[in-house]
Amino acid sequence: METWQQQLRDSLTTPEQLAARFDIEAGTLAEVCARYPLRITPHYLDLIEGPGDPIWRQCVPDPRELADDQPLDDPLAEEQLAPLPNVVHRYPDRVLLLVAGTCATYCRFCTRKRKVGCRGNEVSLGEVMAGIDYVARTPAVRDVLLSGGEPLLMSDLLLKEILERLRRIPHVDVIRIGTRAPVVLPARITESLCALLRRSHPLFINTHFNHPRELTPEAAEACLRLADAGVPVGNQTVLLRGVNDQAAILAELFRGLLRLRVRPYYLHHMDLVRGTGHFRTRLETGLEIMAALRGSLSGLAIPHYVVDLPGGRGKIPLVPEYVERLGDQALLRAPSGERVDFPNLCPL
């Protein structure tokens, strides 16, 4: 058994284990865990400094998850956009292929918390292969994103089979893998895995760091190992109230990611997922953070602040208002707030 598999086996999975470690009441969490599963890897558990801290809030169940705070379980209409149970085809040239139904650690704010880790929502090998067949018979698809669940919980052998089948499809240009393994299970990023990924280029990894305390030496080693294998790594952070909704926290995170050769790619506004209202911020908060980051961080360190619109309408970027007036003489606002006249004429 490999180290990462041992860590999975030793993960915390019950309220009673939480109660024993942190001297809290297990009973208040049992009802939440009956609806939304609990799993925290030993690596991620060791990052918790105490109840309510930024790591705790991301992985420990909260009774507020049972609140009926949104009308839809599936606000992005993924199931309506699914030609097969594990295929989401929202954009003409891109397909989301759900290849796993479980995660190493269950994030309490997950977009797919209605199904990931829940009984009856496992993904079978047959469903994965049917999804690959769908890609093969759909020539418009040029980009395939493997997600779930956590794709890297599968064995190297199975992942190799999936990647090789996708690589044999002539119209597939790019393969992406969405994973939180570098954050919660960095031991999974082995030399053998990186050798496999190196043979599958062009391949991109999207990972998911939300707080500077997640940038551990083990996570750094995992990210640098991927980069050394020639795998471009991008990060998608979710804006979470009480976790990272301050410009200083995100600036520290984004600077740290660049040191690990990870490009901050998206800052996601919270999806309108039922049971996640206690994580939600106002849009103004995100815009104020982005305005504060502009000018104080390298452009390489500043992600796109995006909202994934309900109903499967797609992602849109949100930006602070820097253009105050257009015309032959535009009025623009600098990051400092200073207003600057800018000539907007094109000589003949």
Side-chain angles (χ1 to χ4, degrees):
M1 180 179 291
E2 295 192 58
T3 302
W4 67 271
Q5 294 169 320
Q6 181 70 44
Q7 284 211 12
L8 269 183
R9 194 182 73 171
D10 294 342
S11 293
L12 184 152
T13 57
T14 69
E16 290 74 23
Q17 291 171 302
L18 268 176
R21 183 175 176 114
F22 294 104
D23 192 26
I24 60 172
E25 286 291 331
T28 59
L29 303 182
E31 189 179 357
V32 184
C33 295
R35 175 64 186 88
Y36 302 117
L38 164 66
R39 183 193 277 167
I40 311 172
T41 61
H43 170 83
Y44 204 60
L45 188 65
D46 285 344
L47 301 187
I48 297 175
E49 294 178 351
D53 81 357
I55 308 301
W56 172 284
R57 286 176 60 82
Q58 292 185 69
C59 63
V60 173
D62 188 308
R64 289 176 290 183
E65 293 176 49
L66 299 177
D68 191 16
D69 55 1
Q70 290 295 328
L72 299 174
D73 281 332
D74 179 22
L76 303 183
E78 289 186 335
E79 292 171 18
Q80 295 176 35
L81 297 167
L84 296 173
N86 66 318
V87 174
V88 180
H89 195 170
R90 181 193 302 181
Y91 305 104
D93 65 336
R94 280 154 284 173
V95 154
L96 175 65
L97 183 57
L98 304 176
V99 297
T102 60
C103 286
T105 290
Y106 291 116
C107 301
R108 311 318 301 180
F109 51 86
C110 180
T111 292
R112 299 190 189 103
K113 69 182 296 171
R114 68 188 185 277
K115 60 191 297 185
V116 172
C118 299
R119 187 172 300 172
N121 285 286
E122 300 83 2
V123 178
S124 70
L125 178 59
E127 288 173 324
V128 174
M129 295 306 164
I132 295 173
D133 289 343
Y134 173 83
V135 172
R137 65 176 184 267
T138 312
V141 175
R142 310 189 73 85
D143 180 341
V144 178
L145 171 59
L146 305 182
S147 187
E150 172 56 71
L152 296 187
L153 291 190
M154 67 179 72
S155 68
D156 285 3
L157 187 62
L158 181 53
L159 182 60
K160 176 176 181 288
E161 176 70 16
I162 291 170
L163 292 175
E164 287 180 347
R165 284 177 179 251
L166 288 170
R167 274 280 151 255
R168 289 197 292 266
I169 301 173
H171 54 266
V172 172
D173 295 330
V174 170
I175 300 171
R176 292 181 286 160
I177 299 175
T179 175
R180 212 177 184 208
V183 183
V184 301
L185 190 64
R188 177 62 184 102
I189 312 302
T190 61
E191 291 290 355
S192 61
L193 172 66
C194 290
L196 166 61
L197 299 178
R198 187 184 291 114
R199 295 192 297 271
S200 304
H201 288 313
L203 182 141
F204 296 77
I205 292 282
N206 291 329
T207 191
H208 181 181
F209 289 86
N210 286 326
H211 194 275
R213 277 181 31 209
E214 296 170 339
L215 300 173
T216 62
E218 296 85 356
E221 182 181 355
C223 292
L224 293 171
R225 187 172 284 170
L226 288 167
D228 286 343
V231 179
V233 183
N235 187 73
Q236 302 189 58
T237 293
V238 178
L239 184 60
L240 301 166
R241 179 153 54 104
V243 173
N244 60 12
D245 55 338
Q246 297 177 37
I249 292 173
L250 289 177
E252 182 182 352
L253 172 63
F254 298 153
R255 287 193 187 101
L257 287 169
L258 281 190
R259 288 195 293 270
L260 304 185
R261 293 153 70 186
V262 176
R263 172 74 159 89
Y265 177 44
Y266 279 150
L267 174 62
H268 275 280
H269 194 78
M270 271 288 304
D271 292 331
L272 300 176
V273 180
R274 184 178 293 158
T276 64
H278 53 294
F279 286 112
R280 195 159 295 121
T281 66
R282 290 179 60 90
L283 293 169
E284 290 92 334
T285 300
L287 289 168
E288 289 165 5
I289 288 172
M290 294 302 294
L293 295 179
R294 180 67 61 183
S296 64
L297 281 183
S298 161
L300 275 175
I302 298 179
H304 300 286
Y305 177 40
V306 297
V307 172
D308 210 342
L309 296 174
R313 296 176 178 90
K315 296 184 185 72
I316 58 167
L318 299 181
V319 296
E321 188 59 69
Y322 294 114
V323 179
E324 298 202 358
R325 186 185 68 236
L326 292 174
D328 291 347
Q329 191 76 5
L331 182 63
L332 308 180
R333 185 171 61 82
S336 64
E338 179 186 2
R339 287 165 174 78
V340 180
D341 287 315
F342 187 87
N344 194 30
L345 288 170
C346 296
L348 295 176

